[in-house]
Structure formats: structure tokens, C-alpha cells
Amino acid sequence: ESMKMRKFSSFFAAAVTMLAALSCNKEIANVEPIAPESDAVVFTAYTDGADTKTGFNENKPVWKSGDRIWILNADEENPGWKKAYYTTDDNATIATFTEEDDSYPLEGTQYFAVYPAGAADHATWEGEDVMGVTLTPNQTATPESYDPAAHIAVAKSQNTSLSFRNAVSLFEFTVKNEGVKSVTIYSNTGEALTGSCNISSEGVITPWTGEGEANSWVELSAGDGTFEQDKAYYIAVFPNTLESGFTVEFSFGDDKLEVKSYDN
């Protein structure tokens, strides 16, 4: 059966809803930083509701032990420095982040932070933007939640207190059939969903243009298992307007595909 024919198949029933962008422009939280016990600079990261690091567990966004962030020097006169930090606090709404590498000193008085660190491994600060953040197109499914490695949150501060806010949007959908291994979403006219991007100091994302930089697709995989029926799943994407809608491709374990298209 051709892709064109399968594209309009109605065999697979699914509900797909585009959620609004979760990013917002807000003032830096007025909180006192925790004093470090040594010369190393310690950052304190906060979450304060639905516009920060998203949580679906009783609507409580929390930091997990092992969470990593990149801190970039956002000073206008000396930009470009970057350093990785991690936390050992677990299930915490306030977490202390310490440096991973103490072989070189922290510099700067103004900072831009990106969570998770893996999204900003190759990022640099230029002017008022962090350049080269990556939203992965290959994401791992978790029922009633999203892949934390794909959900980007940012914070800018003039001290060591970081109040994070979301920088991406989420697709929400529910699977109605058994045996679904992966779900892939395509924008019908090529609008960017994942890939490389810049993020402004206000948290606004600008996808890179050009082949191999931004993707018009994103895949959510159940790994060795399958999607649970009637459970909500979330896929992180760039905030965007899909002028001609999108197409959803459902992959089954026997390599069979079902495709459904939405034109709005």
C-alpha cells in the first residue's frame, strides 16, 4: 500500500492536541542565593509552577539527583565561557548545583543556564542569545510525561539564583491501539519541530535554517516495549505555527505503519 493511501487511513484512531507554548517572559525571581562553603561558585535552581521545569506528578515540578545544567557567561564584555553543574538533591523544588570540573575558575557576573545539559553541549553565548542548543528529534516515551532529555528550560540571572522557565511546546496524544512501538510527527509544509536553535535572553527559540540543522519531524519511541493504551504521552517541539497542519505516523512491532493527517 502506498504512503499516500496509508496517509489517509482511518483504521488507527488517535486524539492529537497541540498544547500552547509553555515559555514566557518573566522577571528574575527575587530570592537570596545559598552561600557557598568554599571558593567554588554554587548555584541555586528554583521551580515555581507550570511555566518552569514541567512536572506531571501532581503538578509538582522537581529536580532529580543527577540533573545537569550548563552555565554560560552572559556578560556583555566577556561572553562565551561555559561550565557544567550538577545536583545531588532529589525530588526537590529548590536544588543546589555545584561544578563538575574545578580545574578552571568560574567567571562573570551575569549568567544564562540551560537544562538539560545535553541540549547545550555545543552551545555558546553571543550577544543576547545562546547559540547552538539542540532539541533532539529522537525522544523516549514515558506514560503521562515527557522525555526529560528533550524538554528544554532556561534561566537568566545576575546572581547565583536561577529561576527556570520552559522554552519548548508539547504535543499531547493518546494511543487507542495495542502494539504501537513509535509515534512520529511531521509538519506538512516543513516548519521546524526539532534540531538546532538559538535561544534569546527572554527564552524565545529561533530554529536554525538549512539542511541538517532543523527537522520538520520528531519521533517518540517506546523502546523495547509498546505504548500503553489510553495513557497521555507528550512530545517536546519548538514553539511554532503549523500553517498546513501535521501528519502522524504510528509504527507497530511488525513494521506495519498507520498514518493519519491533520490539515489544521
Side-chain angles (χ1 to χ4, degrees):
E1 186 180 13
S2 71
M3 176 63 73
K4 182 176 181 181
M5 292 175 64
R6 286 188 284 110
K7 178 177 179 180
F8 298 101
S9 170
S10 59
F11 172 79
F12 197 100
V16 182
T17 304
M18 183 62 181
L19 298 186
L22 299 178
S23 62
C24 70
N25 300 340
K26 62 183 294 183
E27 297 297 324
I28 301 297
N30 184 22
V31 291
E32 291 295 326
I34 297 176
E37 297 180 356
S38 67
D39 292 337
V41 176
V42 175
F43 286 90
T44 306
Y46 294 80
T47 62
D48 59 3
D51 58 351
T52 62
K53 184 171 182 281
T54 302
F56 290 96
N57 181 16
E58 297 179 357
N59 199 30
K60 295 179 180 179
V62 295
W63 296 104
K64 300 291 187 181
S65 179
D67 276 348
R68 298 174 66 249
I69 59 177
W70 274 112
I71 305 289
L72 295 96
N73 179 3
D75 289 345
E76 293 182 2
E77 297 181 356
N78 186 31
W81 161 92
K82 181 175 70 172
K83 195 165 189 177
Y85 280 72
Y86 74 101
T87 186
T88 58
D89 296 326
D90 197 37
N91 292 319
T93 55
I94 301 175
T96 300
F97 280 77
T98 55
E99 59 188 14
E100 285 190 343
D101 182 359
D102 61 2
S103 63
Y104 61 99
L106 171 72
E107 297 178 2
T109 58
Q110 187 166 230
Y111 310 104
F112 192 93
V114 180
Y115 169 86
D121 282 344
H122 305 290
T124 59
W125 180 266
E126 295 183 20
E128 287 296 315
D129 296 335
V130 58
M131 315 286 284
V133 176
T134 302
L135 175 57
T136 177
N138 301 110
Q139 301 176 20
T140 302
T142 301
E144 308 294 341
S145 189
Y146 56 86
D147 184 348
H151 195 263
I152 299 172
V154 297
K156 188 177 181 182
S157 178
Q158 296 181 359
N159 56 44
T160 57
S161 295
L162 304 172
S163 182
F164 279 82
R165 60 184 181 273
N166 292 333
V168 296
S169 294
L170 298 172
F171 267 106
E172 178 189 38
F173 67 94
T174 303
V175 172
K176 299 296 184 182
N177 282 55
E178 295 181 348
V180 178
K181 299 283 291 182
S182 68
V183 175
T184 304
I185 296 175
Y186 304 86
S187 59
N188 287 344
T189 46
E191 294 91 349
L193 295 180
T194 57
S196 299
C197 68
N198 300 338
I199 305 180
S200 74
S201 57
E202 288 79 28
V204 178
I205 280 185
T206 303
W208 286 8
T209 58
E211 185 177 356
E213 295 174 345
N215 307 303
S216 59
W217 61 275
V218 58
E219 180 185 30
L220 188 69
S221 173
D224 294 333
T226 58
F227 285 88
E228 296 183 35
Q229 291 178 272
D230 298 319
K231 290 289 183 70
Y233 288 87
Y234 299 84
I235 302 178
V237 295
F238 292 148
N240 214 329
T241 299
L242 308 183
E243 296 290 351
S244 300
F246 55 94
T247 296
V248 186
E249 179 182 275
F250 305 92
S251 173
F252 294 80
D254 57 3
D255 294 328
K256 181 178 70 172
L257 298 177
E258 295 293 341
V259 180
K260 193 172 183 68
S261 186
Y262 300 82
D263 59 8
N264 56 21

